Amino acid sequence: MFDKAWSYEYEKNKEVAPGKLLLSEPFMMDENFSRTVVLICEHDNENGTLGLILNRPLKVRLNELVSSLPAFEGNVFLGGPVATDTMQFLHKLGEKIEGSVKITDGIYWGGNFEQIKILIQNRNIHPGQIAFYVGYSGWGPGQLQRELEENSWIISDARAEYVFNYSDQIWKNILKSMGGIYQAIASYPQNPILN
């Protein structure tokens, strides 16, 4: 069976913070997070952690979720299993959107949705500048730390290209870009029995 000791020495020196990515370990059994890449948007020891899954696209159009919007080709993802009656968004527009929070270079979270609606209606925003997420991923205080100690997650740095140039190979591509043992992990079969 897979020995997860590969990651502990590497991961214990990395901190969870906004702008970091969590990549699920290759054999994670929780189907909500199997082979996922989660962007951390908020993290503190008292309130816990909030993130968005970057690689669970939904077959739904934005205007099907927000009927007051015209057709828009932007990507819509399942951000996680928590509060699936809410919607989050990541964008490149920075401080042009009131209330947005800088996550890392080129990635901003949330802000004034009315401004986003106007930009979409006036065709002043294109799909490569924004992505929408139904629900989010959340961990209570200490919960994510325990999962990290169990080597359930691999930590990496986020880049705008991972968010706004969606690829169904994002999990593998990020691992490969990390080099070393991570290149090998990227090619592990999802079900080790089939190897």
Side-chain angles (χ1 to χ4, degrees), residues 15-190:
E15 294 292 322
V16 173
K20 294 293 184 179
L21 297 176
L22 300 177
L23 288 85
S24 64
E25 64 93 356
F27 305 119
M28 185 177 280
M29 299 303 288
D30 182 341
E31 61 186 44
N32 288 313
F33 294 105
S34 177
R35 303 275 170 130
T36 56
V37 177
V38 181
L39 173 68
I40 300 299
C41 297
E42 220 173 55
H43 174 75
D44 70 57
N45 293 331
E46 291 180 20
N47 298 309
T49 306
L50 183 148
L52 298 171
I53 298 173
L54 301 180
N55 60 333
R56 288 284 189 265
L58 295 174
K59 293 180 179 177
V60 63
R61 297 270 184 226
L62 182 61
N63 60 310
E64 293 175 272
L65 298 173
V66 182
S67 60
S68 61
L69 286 174
F72 183 70
E73 295 298 317
N75 288 323
V76 179
F77 299 89
L78 178 64
V82 181
T84 55
D85 60 341
T86 65
M87 188 167 54
Q88 310 278 326
F89 56 97
L90 298 171
H91 57 88
K92 291 182 176 182
L93 303 173
E95 294 160 4
K96 292 179 184 175
I97 305 301
E98 293 171 9
S100 65
V101 175
K102 182 177 181 179
I103 300 299
T104 192
D105 289 342
I107 305 173
Y108 293 81
W109 173 44
N112 186 328
F113 190 65
E114 291 305 311
Q115 287 181 287
I116 296 293
K117 286 169 67 173
I118 291 166
L119 289 172
I120 291 171
Q121 288 164 346
N122 294 333
R123 300 179 194 271
N124 289 329
I125 187 171
H126 62 81
Q129 294 177 295
I130 193 163
F132 298 89
Y133 301 84
V134 173
Y136 62 89
S137 301
W139 293 263
Q143 183 183 2
L144 181 56
Q145 187 59 41
R146 286 189 299 276
E147 291 182 17
L148 288 167
E149 289 167 4
E150 295 166 357
N151 293 318
S152 296
W153 300 99
I154 300 165
I155 301 172
S156 185
D157 295 318
R159 296 183 194 163
E161 65 195 73
Y162 299 151
V163 175
F164 303 111
N165 300 331
Y166 172 70
S167 162
D168 62 358
Q169 298 296 306
I170 185 175
W171 184 86
K172 285 184 177 187
N173 292 343
I174 294 171
L175 286 169
K176 286 179 183 177
S177 75
M178 292 171 69
I181 187 68
Y182 300 101
Q183 285 184 303
I185 292 168
S187 62
Y188 284 1
Q190 194 149 2

Side-chain angles (χ1 to χ4, degrees), residues 3-15:
D3 177 10
K4 289 196 259 184
W6 58 269
S7 68
Y8 184 70
E9 286 302 314
Y10 184 83
E11 301 307 322
K12 74 178 182 179
N13 296 320
K14 289 195 158 192
E15 294 292 322

